Amino acid sequence: MSELSGLGLLTWVYPPGLVDRAVGACGCAEQRRRLLPARLVVYSVLGLALFSPAPYLEVMRRPVEGLRCQGLLGGWHVPAKSSLFRARQRLGCEPSRVLFATTAKPMATEATPGAFWRGLRLLAVDGTCRDVADSEANEAAFGRPGNGRGSGRSAFPQVRMAA
């Protein structure tokens, strides 16, 4: 689970104040002190999205380490899995939507080397296939992948994007 050590970076990408503002904008802030504050539940949800194959409680422990390093949690401990589930239900999805809308944007500027070409932002897509029009020209240019059912071919030619 060494890849989970990077989960502490969530607090750098999404500073606690930003998360608190997103929670407050949705009216989801706690009315009383809870074992699972809304801020921590948001970090947990982000961690679950990043590390979905990891055990639920292990994902929860990682943001705790990041917050504790910033002096924001004191002696807090990870609660039971059922408490995490109820806290996620109580919070809902709206704070995640607000956080995404606030932060989702291209990171590179025109001054970033290699990010633009002739005024256009460059984009790389790797490992993706796109169906194109079923024409002889497209079939000659791109080919048709097999369909896994013997000698048959797929219905459409495909553009394969790879690194």
Side-chain angles (χ1 to χ4, degrees), residues 96-132:
S96 296
R97 285 185 185 148
V98 169
L99 195 59
F100 178 80
T102 304
T103 59
K105 60 183 180 276
M107 295 177 70
T109 66
E110 291 201 34
T112 305
F116 285 80
W117 178 74
R118 296 186 178 183
L120 300 173
R121 181 179 305 277
L122 295 177
L123 173 69
V125 180
D126 185 20
T128 301
C129 295
R130 299 275 185 212
D131 289 340
V132 292

Side-chain angles (χ1 to χ4, degrees), residues 15-34:
L18 178 64
V19 172
D20 292 344
R21 285 190 297 280
V23 168
C26 299
C28 297
E30 308 71 42
Q31 301 301 314
R32 59 186 174 91
R33 270 192 82 155
R34 293 187 175 273

